[in-house]
Amino acid sequence: MHAFLKGGSAALERAKEKSASSSGDKEEPAKKTRQVPWVEKYRPRSVDDVAYQDEVVAVLKKSLQCSDLPNLLFYGPPGTGKTSTILAAARDLFGPEMFRNRVLELNASDERGISVVRDKVKRFSQHTASGTRPDGKPCPPFKIIILDEADSMTSPAQAALRRTMEKETKTTRFCLICNYVSRIIEPIASRCAKFRFKPLSEETLTKRLLGICEKENVSCDDEGIKALLRTSEGDLRKAITYLQSASRLKVEETITEADINEIAGVVPDEVLDDLIMICSSDSYEKLDTGLRGLINDGYSASQVITQLHEKLIEKEDLTDKQKAVIFEKLAVVDKCLIDGADEYLQLMALFTTIMHQICHG
Amino acid sequence: MSLWVDKHRPNSLNKLDFHKEQAAHLKKLVNSGDFPHLIVYGPSGVGKKTRIMCLLRELYGSGVEKLRIEQHNFTTPSKKKMDISTISSNYHIEVNPSDVGNNDRVVIQELIKTVAQTNQLETSSQKSFKVVILTEVDRLSVDAQHALRRTMEKYMATCRLILCCNSTSKVIPAIRSRCLGVRVAAPSIEQIGQILQSVCKKEGLSLPLELATKIAKKSNRNLRRALLMCEACRVQQYPFRPDQEVTEPDWELYLKETANLIVEQQSPKRLLEVRARLYELITHCIPADVIMRGLLQELVKNCDGELKLEVVQSAAYYEHRLQTGQKAIYHLEAFVAKFMAIYKRFFEEGIADLF
Amino acid sequence: MNKFEMKSDGGNSFADNEDSNDSVIDLASSPELSTQKPDKKRKRDKSILQSINCKNSAKWVTSSFGDFDAFDCFAASSRPAKSAPKRANTTSSSQSILKVSKSATTSISNTADQSKASKTTPQINSEQVSSSGDRCWLSGKKRPAYESELWSDKYAPNNQGDLAVHKKKISDLETWFQTHLKAQAKLPPILILTGQAGTGKSATVKVLSRELKCDVQEWSNPVGSDRVWKKRDEFSTGPYQYDDIQTESQLVQFQHFLLRANKYNKLDIFGDGNTEKKIILVEEFPNVFYRDASAFHETLRKYAHVGKCPLVFIVSDSTSRDSASCERLLFPKTLQQDLRIDNISFNPIALTSLTKVLTRIATKEASQGLHKFTAPTHAILESIAMSSAGDIRGAINTLQFACLRDTKDLLPSALVKGKQPVKKPRGKAKSKSSDKKDSDLASIGGRDTSLFLFRALGKILYCKRDDPSAHPDEPKLAVHLQEHHRDPLIINPEDVVEKSHLSGDYFSAYLHQNYMEFFTDLDDIARASQYLSDADHLTEDWASRSVLQQYAASVATRGIIHANSARARFSSAGSGLGWKPLHKPQWYTAIKQARDSCESARCLFKEYAWTPEILQTEILPYLSVINTTLHQPGQASFLQEFCRFSKLKIPGRSEKLDEKDVDTDESPPPSQSMEIKSVQDDDEFVSNSQSKVRTAQEEEEELIIEDFDD
């Protein structure tokens, strides 16, 4: 098996589609239905299936018709279908047979130093590709290299890539996928056609989720779906993963809002409201107990901060100045938490600020 | 003779003492024959690992309890050799990758690869996958977490990961979204009290409710600590008296003494004494953030409202720095100095106001 | 005496066959020469030979440029040699010398070739060398025109009385030798000697072994050049290539050495009974082991199986952190436990003993040495002793170096800069008078860093300021910022840090350890500590650390200077502080101890399988209270150590030493007696409390400097 042809999603789909010819596949046919994450299972098969990204789809379709692609740069928040789109496009271009030979998917978690870019990418792109499929149909004479999470590549690696991109244009198209286009060095960005993927709308998400529920025979009440929409923040992958997780925990039961919240680790509203209440009481001891309780219950501080932000921004009995002070602290605390600071201390610092602002600000 | 903590550890999902509903869910999950990757999180001493072991037992039977300690050797790309000890049975392997510091990434990749590959030869086991338990995932480097994410996808067919951590804040979203999150909240004071009493009963001792509650409160909802405290009480004095002193670890007492020294007097000389005591704590392997938290807790008791706020802010400020910085003592000392300055000023102002 | 000289240089110059170890052994085991005199002669001869070798090579290179006059003294030494060229090849010893010089010649010829020298030169040269060797051998009593050997070798101690090492350590080591030379344990005894460079570790071993009448076999790293040049000889065509199997063979050779040296013990029955006792000494480690410590461990374990005689390792450690890790790398705790390795650590030589030795040498040399010079005054010797920071070898070398010139120069005011070449004409040295202000930071060949460091720290902490009236155009601060006003500094903190030759990181650690005593106001301390915290915060990212370190040092030094409001004025400079001792940072020892005990805890309590933090903060403290039966004896003692906090009012921090204390430091602190640990426990897990026992040792590290506040 080609070590570099190991893109998880590609392999899985391959396994599904050609279970007859699964020479080196690890999946056992019996387990397969269970083991495939729904995210993979319900990945769009063709560009037409791609949800919500109409502009991108239109452009892609056009270039598919003339069987040519520019180098691509997809960016946008997670779970908006960037990877799905390019995989689907590649499938449309090459068909399922050629797909595995023509697509190289490299992930951030693969080794992706300069050497890899130089060796793997080069080796893959140096083989020329013929212009016909085995079944005689014409297909584009190039290969596609998908660099997922390109923004986590080091800039020397990106610089090395730029040379390769230029040299191999005859045989290879690159598709870079990232969340933040600003982290891609300018020379590369300028060599690619850029597409922005926007967060999915609620309707699209609901439609997809309900569709999956139906196919998988899972019952999920409206509140559950709403909770999914809320927790996933436009990220379809997250929503589907949560749905699948919930369905596994609650076998043959209706999935409720509480289940979703539990899986997503959402802090219940009452808990947060309590804490804000305590803040207006101006009692350090109460706050201390409350926060310890929160942490002992296993809620993560980053989740608390996210939710707190939403709550406070709509809180009307705070003046703009108070909010400004609080949110500045919130930003600092968030950064500190990312750096690995202690959750209790950081939350204490945040909530004492809030307390001070509410009572004395 | 082993510690009560080990001796009375429940070994099946049915026997768990709290969060029974969650246990039932987990059981259902396992009984379906398969489960996704799990991330089990919750504060220290709530029995995350116990829960995981119960789950595995449910999955594989009692074979998982035959544990052995192994040493694994890895070589980093830079040719540095390191070894890490793992605990494993025929069905699972448990490892704490943060033991090897910055090279955790290699350990994760290699270890999981080895496990996933050897498994294929071993078709006799009834399950088609092995379980890899990674503890202290929140201490993994970001690099390693990215590697983990990839590895998770790659070896989905042959192994399942159970990640164990105190908080998901430090786990990258990509991993969180690929795992089924299992939150284990700390047991309530009452629950701990009951558990203590039942453990004592098994030991043939009778534990008065007052003492049980007292211990439970002192333990700060940490079951492991509660059990250790209870056992220490037993050593100290039996039969139990309801008003018995609950033994605290030496270092905590030492830390409290240190805090008292700070409150007692604010002078450069005293600060030097405090520094020496901080060093003493550090050489005894007490993590700097624990010291900081302990100090804060004691110091704040002696402060008034406004002052508390200021102290908490600076504690959070310096704690963040000691996490990222190299020399924790700088930051601990800076915090103590800051506190002394604030506290002294406050008192001087207070006295000035009197006249 | 002779035997102990069979070290790297000596061994190799005599060893003409490939395996230098064999020859080392041969020579070492030859019956002891009856008197001391021939010994000495030979030694001198040899070193003369070496110096001629190198000097001649220097000559050959330079002479091809036609610059003979500059090398008067060399010419003088080789002139008599020319007169007796036929004396070569008469004795066996000169044969070997010839061979050596041949190999040297080839090397010279190489250079000579490059510099296009005439073809005949190498041969003449070899004759010169060998014959001059002979010559000196015969006329040994004549004073050569130049110093032939280092005083540190010349005055190497001959008996226990000569040793400047602390009596306690000597007796520790002696006891160890005595017990282990007699008794045959299951495992061969292994000892590690640690301590700073120049604390007399090797000298003590050698003296003691002589007194106990046992042999010392010493490992020396084979020097690559022998083999490389040989190759060149045999296959003289083509560009020369370095032996790329060198590392491999070094390892193999080391193994051979250990095992063969060991075997030899059994065979050697014909010698007089004395040689039956034998010690193997390893002072330098083959380089491979630094890269791959496991190979070393394996070798050691192998030795533990077959070995018989005591094996002594000498590991010099210094203030740099690498060497500490080297010790950890080569002798990890587990290995030390498994093989029952004992550990004795040497402390820097006390000032008094050092001065005594220096005085002895100086008087001797002044009367009998090469040059006539008046013996340096006691004050000068003392200053040399002090600047050497307990390094006796360094101190003697400094003395020798200093005595080359008139001792008047030794007056501290005119100390030459350490790196200045000896032969430099005086005029030039004086022309550097612009540097004068800086040069009082320096001293002759002392341990630069420490001396510089102490002064540098003093400069920062005492932060002398200039008279503001001298700087009338200094900008003024606005009224509301007046509290931040400081008179101009007379030092530049960045310069000071740079001259300390320390990384900013390390320097700020020193500052941190010491700043507090120079402050009187708590608010100032709070501010200073804040700056230190800032400095550490600046360097947190490893990627940018190397760059930011300088800035961090700036922040730390300037921050501390600025924060000290009591010393903000020119007028306040001289007041109040008086003399303060400085200390070494505790942080590194503290963190090392923490790491060690963390590691030990993990090894010992493996079966508990807790994460380190839980183990250390919860399980272990309670384990010590609960008194469960522990399965391994090591656990109990570790627990006891681990959970004991010193309950002193002022724990950890040792009492302040001052100069007087060092002077009278004849009786060691009682705690040191713990440092030698021979473990007789038969259980596999032995006491692992080494790391903790040494807590008291910190006290000795407190070092003293003179007063800055004059």
Side-chain angles (χ1 to χ4, degrees):
Chain A
M1 212 162 134
H2 303 281
F4 51 84
L5 261 181
K6 62 191 170 349
S9 51
L12 284 166
E13 278 171 77
R14 215 189 320 131
K16 265 190 72 68
E17 283 166 8
K18 321 176 293 150
S19 50
S21 66
S22 61
S23 49
D25 287 344
K26 287 165 193 160
E27 284 92 342
E28 292 164 41
K31 295 275 177 208
K32 194 177 31 179
T33 44
R34 275 207 174 281
Q35 284 178 0
V36 177
W38 292 355
V39 183
E40 300 299 340
K41 202 167 166 186
Y42 296 100
R43 234 187 232 293
R45 292 272 159 267
S46 84
V47 183
D48 293 313
D49 284 349
V50 173
Y52 198 62
Q53 312 293 352
D54 303 323
E55 301 90 340
V56 185
V57 169
V59 176
L60 270 181
K61 265 180 159 169
K62 195 143 195 201
S63 48
L64 285 180
Q65 276 165 8
C66 33
S67 274
D68 195 13
L69 272 179
N71 286 327
L72 299 168
L73 175 59
F74 290 174
Y75 64 98
T80 47
K82 298 181 294 293
T83 316
S84 303
T85 309
I86 186 62
L87 285 176
R91 189 181 308 279
D92 283 355
L93 276 174
F94 303 115
E97 297 291 317
M98 303 273 292
F99 184 70
R100 57 181 292 194
N101 292 326
R102 290 292 181 88
V103 177
L104 170 65
E105 194 187 351
L106 286 173
N107 226 308
S109 23
D110 294 311
E111 283 285 344
R112 260 197 339 198
I114 300 181
S115 61
V116 177
V117 169
R118 291 220 175 109
D119 297 345
K120 269 194 191 172
V121 172
K122 227 180 202 163
R123 219 181 322 135
F124 181 76
S125 58
Q126 269 167 357
H127 300 285
T128 47
S130 72
T132 48
R133 293 191 192 186
D135 55 6
K137 279 193 234 166
C139 80
F142 55 76
K143 302 158 187 236
I144 296 181
I145 294 178
I146 303 173
L147 291 168
D148 215 338
E149 289 156 69
D151 41 3
S152 66
M153 281 170 84
T154 58
S155 36
Q158 290 191 30
L161 185 65
R162 139 184 148 189
R163 186 94 190 84
T164 321
M165 272 172 89
E166 260 172 10
K167 257 175 36 195
E168 314 292 348
T169 34
K170 269 188 191 155
T171 56
T172 315
R173 297 292 178 274
F174 284 84
C175 177
L176 280 73
I177 298 176
C178 61
N179 293 132
Y180 303 101
V181 73
S182 54
R183 290 199 201 145
I184 302 293
I185 58 170
E186 187 54 34
I188 288 201
S190 75
R191 282 172 172 75
C192 301
K194 279 179 265 187
F195 293 103
R196 179 173 178 275
F197 283 64
K198 47 194 177 183
L200 303 183
S201 69
E202 295 215 341
E203 302 88 72
T204 325
L205 281 171
T206 321
K207 219 175 79 195
R208 292 265 160 167
L209 288 174
L210 285 176
I212 292 173
C213 283
E214 198 181 313
K215 281 187 198 142
E216 290 291 333
N217 228 345
V218 172
S219 67
C220 180
D221 61 16
D222 285 352
E223 288 303 309
I225 295 286
K226 266 187 199 148
L228 273 177
L229 295 183
R230 205 173 45 243
T231 49
S232 62
E233 292 158 338
D235 180 343
L236 185 57
R237 176 174 48 211
K238 215 182 199 175
I240 297 179
T241 318
Y242 285 157
L243 184 64
Q244 187 179 18
S245 297
S247 77
R248 273 173 159 158
L249 264 189
K250 306 273 272 186
V251 187
E252 286 151 18
E253 277 176 69
T254 305
I255 295 166
T256 62
E257 186 185 359
D259 297 331
I260 300 291
N261 282 346
E262 179 60 42
I263 284 165
V266 175
V267 185
D269 271 348
E270 310 85 67
V271 178
L272 278 182
D273 288 338
D274 270 3
L275 276 176
I276 297 176
M277 279 280 294
I278 291 174
C279 282
S280 30
S281 78
D282 200 15
S283 154
Y284 179 90
E285 282 69 31
K286 274 190 201 164
L287 184 63
D288 187 51
T289 334
L291 267 180
R292 276 176 198 279
L294 179 84
I295 287 171
N296 274 333
D297 281 338
Y299 295 112
S300 84
S302 53
Q303 184 67 37
V304 172
I305 288 182
T306 324
Q307 287 181 251
L308 196 67
H309 177 251
E310 281 163 24
K311 272 209 176 313
L312 288 179
I313 206 155
E314 284 161 9
K315 204 166 158 53
E316 279 164 4
D317 48 358
L318 286 175
T319 64
D320 282 354
K321 198 183 163 209
Q322 285 172 327
K323 282 184 186 172
V325 175
I326 292 173
F327 288 143
E328 189 186 350
K329 185 71 197 172
L330 198 118
V332 171
V333 166
D334 191 33
K335 156 76 178 149
C336 290
L337 282 174
I338 287 171
D339 285 345
D342 186 74
E343 298 198 332
Y344 167 75
L345 287 175
Q346 291 301 328
L347 284 184
M348 271 317 269
L350 175 61
F351 276 96
T352 46
T353 311
I354 298 174
M355 191 160 87
H356 185 77
Q357 287 303 319
I358 291 180
C359 305
H360 308 280
Chain B
M1 189 179 116
S2 57
L3 294 171
W4 290 0
V5 192
D6 294 313
K7 202 168 155 192
H8 299 287
R9 193 187 288 279
N11 58 7
S12 88
L13 285 172
N14 294 330
K15 287 189 199 155
L16 287 174
D17 292 293
F18 50 95
H19 304 322
K20 284 178 187 294
E21 199 189 338
Q22 187 186 48
H25 282 315
L26 287 176
K27 197 170 177 182
K28 249 193 259 172
L29 180 74
V30 171
N31 284 342
S32 66
D34 184 29
F35 62 90
H37 299 307
L38 296 180
I39 180 161
V40 181
Y41 61 99
S44 178
V46 298
K48 295 184 292 291
K49 215 119 127 244
T50 310
R51 215 156 271 259
I52 293 171
M53 287 315 287
C54 292
L55 187 91
L56 291 181
R57 198 188 135 95
E58 192 75 33
L59 191 66
Y60 295 110
S62 58
V64 284
E65 279 158 14
K66 284 184 198 123
L67 297 174
R68 53 182 183 268
I69 298 172
E70 284 170 352
Q71 287 284 334
H72 284 259
N73 289 307
F74 297 100
T75 315
T76 61
S78 55
K79 298 279 174 292
K80 196 180 153 203
K81 281 191 180 151
M82 59 202 164
D83 45 9
I84 189 169
S85 61
T86 60
I87 300 168
S88 58
S89 73
N90 287 333
Y91 307 101
H92 85 286
I93 184 164
E94 180 188 326
V95 67
N96 183 351
S98 55
D99 281 354
V100 288
N102 285 329
N103 296 309
D104 45 7
R105 174 197 162 110
V106 186
V107 170
I108 284 190
Q109 283 176 326
E110 294 298 314
L111 188 83
I112 297 181
K113 202 157 123 197
T114 330
V115 171
Q117 283 166 355
T118 51
N119 191 54
Q120 282 179 308
L121 305 172
E122 213 175 272
T123 45
S124 56
S125 64
Q126 66 262 51
K127 299 282 185 248
S128 66
F129 54 83
K130 271 190 173 186
V131 171
V132 178
I133 303 176
L134 298 176
T135 52
E136 289 196 289
V137 184
D138 40 359
R139 286 182 192 230
L140 285 181
S141 63
V142 177
D143 205 23
Q145 293 195 26
H146 276 292
L148 184 59
R149 155 195 173 166
R150 182 69 176 147
T151 321
M152 277 165 118
E153 286 176 351
K154 209 159 139 190
Y155 299 109
M156 183 72 191
T158 48
C159 74
R160 293 291 177 278
L161 293 176
I162 299 184
L163 312 177
C164 187
C165 60
N166 285 351
S167 162
T168 52
S169 291
K170 289 169 216 164
V171 180
I172 58 168
I175 289 186
R176 258 186 284 170
S177 76
R178 278 169 176 74
C179 299
L180 171 54
V182 178
R183 179 173 63 90
V184 186
S188 66
I189 306 272
E190 294 76 44
Q191 279 170 330
I192 290 185
Q194 282 160 16
I195 294 167
L196 289 181
Q197 282 186 314
S198 75
V199 164
C200 282
K201 213 169 169 187
K202 279 184 211 156
E203 287 284 325
L205 313 166
S206 79
L207 178 70
L209 184 63
E210 290 94 326
L211 185 61
T213 321
K214 196 173 169 185
I215 293 174
K217 276 187 184 145
K218 264 254 157 83
S219 73
N220 194 18
R221 291 173 71 188
N222 180 334
L223 182 57
R224 172 179 49 239
R225 180 170 281 212
L227 281 168
L228 286 168
M229 280 176 170
C230 188
E231 194 173 352
C233 284
R234 151 89 180 85
V235 173
Q236 225 104 77
Q237 186 175 39
Y238 189 79
F240 292 118
R241 274 191 299 126
D243 54 344
Q244 190 174 339
E245 269 306 306
V246 179
T247 324
E248 284 176 80
D250 282 343
W251 65 265
E252 275 187 11
L253 295 173
Y254 193 76
L255 190 58
K256 279 183 184 158
E257 271 173 43
T258 312
N260 286 337
L261 284 178
I262 298 172
V263 176
E264 237 169 52
Q265 189 193 332
Q266 294 84 38
S267 68
K269 191 167 157 276
R270 182 51 63 89
L271 189 54
L272 268 180
E273 285 172 38
V274 171
R275 175 202 279 179
R277 296 179 74 103
L278 291 177
Y279 270 130
E280 182 81 6
L281 283 165
I282 289 172
T283 47
H284 282 77
C285 302
I286 308 301
D289 55 327
V290 175
I291 299 178
M292 185 70 102
R293 253 190 334 239
L295 278 181
L296 174 72
Q297 197 183 337
E298 292 302 313
L299 293 179
V300 153
K301 283 183 190 161
N302 297 290
C303 294
D304 278 357
E306 281 293 282
L307 213 53
K308 275 181 183 149
L309 182 106
E310 214 173 327
V311 173
V312 167
Q313 298 291 348
S314 61
Y317 178 79
Y318 286 113
E319 197 272 338
H320 167 233
R321 288 189 159 198
L322 71 83
Q323 290 289 350
T324 52
Q326 303 176 75
K327 299 202 187 69
I329 188 74
Y330 286 15
H331 310 293
L332 283 173
E333 188 174 294
F335 169 64
V336 175
K338 179 102 181 171
F339 175 82
M340 281 185 169
I342 299 173
Y343 194 73
K344 198 175 176 196
R345 192 188 61 219
F346 177 78
F347 262 84
E348 280 164 0
E349 276 166 11
I351 290 169
D353 284 348
L354 281 179
F355 296 105
Chain C
M1 189 78 182
N2 186 22
K3 284 160 203 154
F4 310 124
E5 293 303 323
M6 298 298 139
K7 294 209 297 192
S8 53
D9 45 359
N12 277 313
S13 55
F14 280 93
D16 50 345
N17 55 349
E18 267 199 35
D19 193 347
S20 62
N21 300 323
D22 280 351
S23 68
V24 171
I25 293 164
D26 283 342
L27 285 164
S29 58
S30 67
E32 209 172 317
L33 292 165
S34 51
T35 54
Q36 286 257 315
K37 268 196 173 172
D39 256 328
K40 258 195 175 163
K41 254 194 204 165
R42 209 202 213 173
K43 203 176 89 189
R44 174 173 293 186
D45 171 36
K46 189 183 60 194
S47 39
I48 288 173
L49 165 72
Q50 278 162 13
S51 52
I52 287 175
N53 255 346
C54 67
K55 278 171 183 165
N56 264 321
S57 69
K59 183 193 164 190
W60 282 113
V61 177
T62 33
S63 67
S64 59
F65 296 103
D67 187 14
F68 273 93
D69 294 346
F71 290 81
D72 277 345
C73 70
F74 301 141
S77 76
S78 50
R79 227 172 271 137
K82 271 180 191 159
S83 67
K86 280 163 199 162
R87 291 202 64 100
N89 303 340
T90 47
T91 60
S92 63
S93 75
S94 64
Q95 255 176 14
S96 72
I97 290 171
L98 184 62
K99 276 187 185 170
V100 174
S101 53
K102 245 188 197 162
S103 72
T105 329
T106 41
S107 73
I108 293 160
S109 70
N110 239 9
T111 12
D113 280 349
Q114 280 161 12
S115 54
K116 297 193 174 72
S118 73
K119 274 180 191 170
T120 52
T121 43
Q123 218 175 345
I124 295 171
N125 179 41
S126 76
E127 278 171 20
Q128 276 175 358
V129 173
S130 55
S131 54
S132 70
D134 264 5
R135 178 91 182 174
C136 289
W137 175 285
L138 293 173
S139 58
K141 277 186 182 156
K142 196 181 167 190
R143 271 188 182 180
Y146 49 88
E147 193 66 37
S148 60
E149 63 186 322
L150 288 174
W151 290 358
S152 53
D153 291 334
K154 194 169 165 187
Y155 294 99
N158 291 317
N159 54 50
Q160 273 198 39
D162 284 356
L163 283 171
V165 182
H166 206 287
K167 297 277 177 290
K168 182 74 178 61
K169 294 289 171 195
I170 301 179
S171 69
D172 278 352
L173 194 59
E174 197 173 7
T175 334
W176 190 87
F177 277 150
Q178 277 167 350
T179 40
H180 290 289
L181 281 172
K182 260 185 263 154
Q184 282 291 329
K186 257 202 312 208
L187 290 168
I190 302 178
L191 175 75
I192 310 174
L193 293 181
T194 55
Q196 275 184 26
T199 47
K201 297 181 292 292
S202 339
T204 314
V205 170
K206 283 163 187 173
V207 167
L208 281 178
S209 60
R210 192 164 47 235
E211 290 192 349
L212 296 170
K213 298 215 170 49
C214 58
D215 250 350
V216 172
Q217 288 191 3
E218 184 168 339
W219 160 258
S220 60
N221 275 349
V223 179
S225 56
D226 263 32
R227 300 175 54 126
V228 174
W229 294 123
K230 212 164 209 120
K231 260 199 156 171
R232 170 78 175 145
D233 243 1
E234 287 158 14
F235 319 99
S236 49
T237 52
Y240 78 79
Q241 289 170 329
Y242 277 106
D243 212 348
D244 47 9
I245 55 160
Q246 192 62 47
T247 50
E248 177 66 33
S249 67
Q250 233 185 40
L251 170 64
V252 174
Q253 281 178 32
F254 183 70
Q255 283 171 344
H256 278 206
F257 168 73
L258 272 190
L259 304 178
R260 205 179 300 180
N262 198 35
K263 246 182 231 161
Y264 196 70
N265 193 25
K266 282 185 248 164
L267 295 176
D268 187 277
I269 29 174
F270 54 83
D272 46 350
N274 296 341
T275 47
E276 244 170 78
K277 291 189 281 183
K278 181 181 297 190
I279 296 165
I280 305 178
L281 180 66
V282 177
E283 198 164 354
E284 45 183 350
F285 299 90
N287 294 331
V288 224
F289 293 150
Y290 292 106
R291 257 170 287 147
D292 182 12
S294 63
F296 177 67
H297 301 159
E298 211 158 280
T299 314
L300 262 194
R301 283 177 204 277
K302 216 182 273 171
Y303 181 77
H305 275 295
V306 295
K308 283 278 184 310
C309 40
L311 182 57
V312 179
F313 290 98
I314 295 184
V315 184
S316 294
D317 48 30
S318 63
T319 41
S320 81
R321 278 154 288 166
D322 314 350
S323 58
S325 68
C326 145
E327 192 197 333
R328 252 206 327 276
L329 180 81
L330 290 177
F331 300 100
K333 283 274 136 58
T334 46
L335 188 79
Q336 294 201 16
Q337 277 173 40
D338 289 356
L339 303 182
R340 311 275 162 73
I341 299 178
D342 296 321
N343 199 334
I344 298 180
S345 80
F346 278 61
N347 302 319
I349 310 255
L351 193 62
T352 26
S353 344
L354 202 51
T355 323
K356 234 182 270 167
V357 172
L358 289 181
T359 320
R360 184 165 54 86
I361 294 176
T363 34
K364 230 177 181 175
E365 274 296 326
S367 52
Q368 301 159 17
L370 296 170
H371 320 281
K372 294 279 179 200
F373 60 86
T374 43
T377 65
H378 186 71
I380 289 167
L381 290 176
E382 209 164 46
S383 79
I384 291 177
M386 227 141 79
S387 68
S388 69
D391 174 354
I392 190 163
R393 183 168 39 218
I396 297 176
N397 285 342
T398 310
L399 180 68
Q400 178 177 15
F401 171 68
C403 288
L404 277 177
R405 309 179 61 197
D406 208 338
T407 39
K408 266 180 279 176
D409 294 338
L410 285 173
L411 292 170
S413 57
L415 291 181
V416 217
K417 255 195 164 177
K419 279 162 193 162
Q420 199 176 320
V422 197
K423 300 277 178 191
K424 204 157 192 174
R426 275 211 173 174
K428 272 192 181 172
K430 269 179 187 163
S431 71
K432 282 198 168 180
S433 59
S434 59
D435 267 355
K436 208 178 172 192
K437 201 173 178 186
D438 289 331
S439 71
D440 67 350
L441 272 175
S443 161
I444 304 174
R447 285 222 156 158
D448 314 350
T449 42
S450 37
L451 184 74
F452 287 171
L453 174 68
F454 290 141
R455 297 240 175 163
L457 281 177
K459 284 200 182 282
I460 299 294
L461 293 171
Y462 284 91
C463 59
K464 285 184 192 150
R465 293 178 186 277
D466 210 356
D467 191 351
S469 56
H471 303 263
D473 41 349
E474 190 87 348
K476 295 270 181 292
L477 285 174
V479 182
H480 68 284
L481 294 174
Q482 270 309 314
E483 56 163 332
H484 293 296
H485 176 75
R486 303 284 186 269
D487 284 342
L489 282 172
I490 57 170
I491 50 155
N492 180 352
E494 285 78 25
D495 278 355
V496 173
V497 176
E498 199 197 320
K499 288 210 176 94
S500 74
H501 298 293
L502 283 184
S503 70
D505 191 26
Y506 212 46
F507 190 81
S508 67
Y510 272 93
L511 279 181
H512 172 258
Q513 182 69 29
N514 294 300
Y515 77 96
M516 223 183 276
E517 310 214 343
F518 294 82
F519 284 70
T520 44
D521 186 60
L522 199 62
D523 286 316
D524 287 350
I525 291 187
R527 223 170 322 142
S529 61
Q530 162 82 46
Y531 282 120
L532 281 171
S533 166
D534 288 341
D536 188 45
H537 189 59
L538 267 178
T539 56
E540 68 183 29
D541 179 23
W542 63 268
S544 57
R545 189 169 294 152
S546 54
V547 181
L548 281 175
Q549 216 168 50
Q550 292 176 21
Y551 296 100
S554 245
V555 169
T557 49
R558 285 184 181 272
I560 284 180
I561 291 172
H562 182 82
N564 201 348
S565 60
R567 306 188 68 80
R569 299 278 169 269
F570 169 63
S571 51
S572 64
S575 63
L577 276 173
W579 182 85
K580 304 265 186 205
L582 296 183
H583 306 267
K584 279 191 171 184
Q586 278 169 285
W587 169 253
Y588 295 106
T589 40
I591 213 68
K592 184 171 180 284
Q593 271 180 34
R595 221 175 11 228
D596 284 350
S597 34
C598 178
E599 186 64 25
S600 320
R602 217 180 61 189
C603 291
L604 284 171
F605 297 90
K606 233 187 235 168
E607 77 269 19
Y608 289 85
W610 297 102
T611 55
E613 185 177 334
I614 294 172
L615 189 67
Q616 287 142 17
T617 57
E618 292 182 23
I619 303 293
L620 293 185
Y622 278 110
L623 260 183
S624 73
V625 181
I626 292 170
N627 282 326
T628 38
T629 338
L630 294 163
H631 304 296
Q632 295 157 2
Q635 291 179 341
S637 59
F638 176 77
L639 259 189
Q640 215 180 359
E641 285 294 337
F642 186 81
C643 297
R644 195 184 44 126
F645 283 84
S646 54
K647 295 284 181 193
L648 300 169
K649 188 102 198 324
I650 309 173
R653 179 87 176 194
S654 59
E655 77 273 33
K656 284 163 212 148
L657 305 170
D658 60 15
E659 241 170 300
K660 290 274 155 46
D661 286 340
V662 179
D663 276 338
T664 56
D665 188 29
E666 288 301 323
S667 59
S671 55
Q672 283 177 27
S673 57
M674 298 282 282
E675 278 175 34
I676 176 166
K677 296 161 286 286
S678 57
V679 185
Q680 274 102 27
D681 201 339
D682 258 2
D683 192 87
E684 195 191 334
F685 284 84
V686 291
S687 162
N688 200 7
S689 53
Q690 282 108 319
S691 52
K692 302 304 295 175
V693 179
R694 285 198 221 157
T695 31
Q697 207 187 330
E698 279 169 43
E699 293 170 19
E700 295 166 67
E701 291 193 7
E702 312 273 331
L703 286 164
I704 301 308
I705 55 162
E706 64 264 54
D707 186 6
F708 294 103
D709 201 28
D710 40 8

